[in-house]
Amino acid sequence: MSSRVYNFGAGPAMLATEVMEKAQAEFLDYNGMGASVIEISHRSREFEAIIDRCDELIRELTSLPDNYKILYVHGGARMQFSAIPMNLLNRKPVKKSLYFETGNFAKMAQKEAARYGEAKIVASSADTGFDRIPEFDPSVVEQDAAYAHITSNNTLYGTRWNSFPETGDVPLVADATSEILSRVIDYSKFGVIFAGFQKNLGPSGMALVLIREDLLGHAMPETPIMLDYKTYADNHSLANTTNTFAIYMLKLMLEWKLERGGVAALEAINNQKSQILYDVLDSSGFYKGVAHPDHRSTMNVTFNLANNELLGKFLEQALEQGLYALKGHRAVGGIRASIYNAMPIEGIRSLADFMREFERTNG
Ligand SMILES: *Cc1c(COP(=O)(O)O)cnc(C)c1O
């Protein structure tokens, strides 16, 4: 495995090495069947055991309340930007949703919702370059809205909601794509939490959707069958042929998380991992963090070089050290280290050492 880099890419992101090795070892012959897991029916006993096990593991890792359904939905996170309004807006006489604008994905989600009804931006941190979660008066959460949407962790900017807005009877919807299962969350506070697989869960192209049962069954009549969450809930996410390989990989990743001690243990490690990098930023005039210190993410650490002309050299030399995909998103620039659950602390230490050395020789 000596050729494996420390992969800081935002997504598709690195998965746990142990998981990749297990998948490789049983790829040609799953469970003694003489066939690969990607060659068997999504309705086979063996695949049903995989998806059942995912349900069990998710319930265990999240302490999900009993009145929530677990759905495995096609189309990644952005497909949910459409599915959320289509499934939720029709519950109310006026089709109105509320959006907290905290970054690019929040903007995209709001724009998509605006195609189906009023999608009100109730707070925004655009004026400070999305470096924080904005302050807002609780009264902005109008109680006649069908839902309120947040991006719980802002992947491009490296900010996150440390505590979540109180929305009263308005269901709170969270896009948790870049942080799902990285910290303990009280799921009962949310109507829906969704996350694309490709950052903390598995391969790209699917989304995990955790939804309170009473929100099912209200989709707009024109909602495509395969975007109606009730279709997934009624058919154990197997109404049509699902991405069996992604769900199999999800199972391995969930088992890995449980072996590591579950979400609380991962959260402690994630705090430690991110702090190593924030300590480098805070003790340096050479690097400048993007996120306001009160709103820092533990999953995406973003920073600039005081002298941006050194960016290319930084990335090139980092890569020579096996530190891959550190370039920030084009909308933000600079550097972003995405450090999801699967990033080992050794990778973080290696990056921190590199940063100090690069500062010493170029500062
Ligand atoms: C990566 C990401 C997305 C986009 O996910 P896709 O599966 O590519 O649609 C959406 N929201 C957040 C918060 C993300 O980090």
Side-chain angles (χ1 to χ4, degrees), residues 10 75-79 81 105 151 153-155 175-178 194 196-199 205-206 340:
R78 276 190 72 184
M79 195 72 93
F81 295 178
F105 288 118
T151 311
N153 184 81
N154 296 281
T155 323
D175 175 359
T177 298
S178 49
F194 65 91
F197 275 20
Q198 70 273 23
K199 286 158 188 160
M206 295 283 294
Y340 305 121

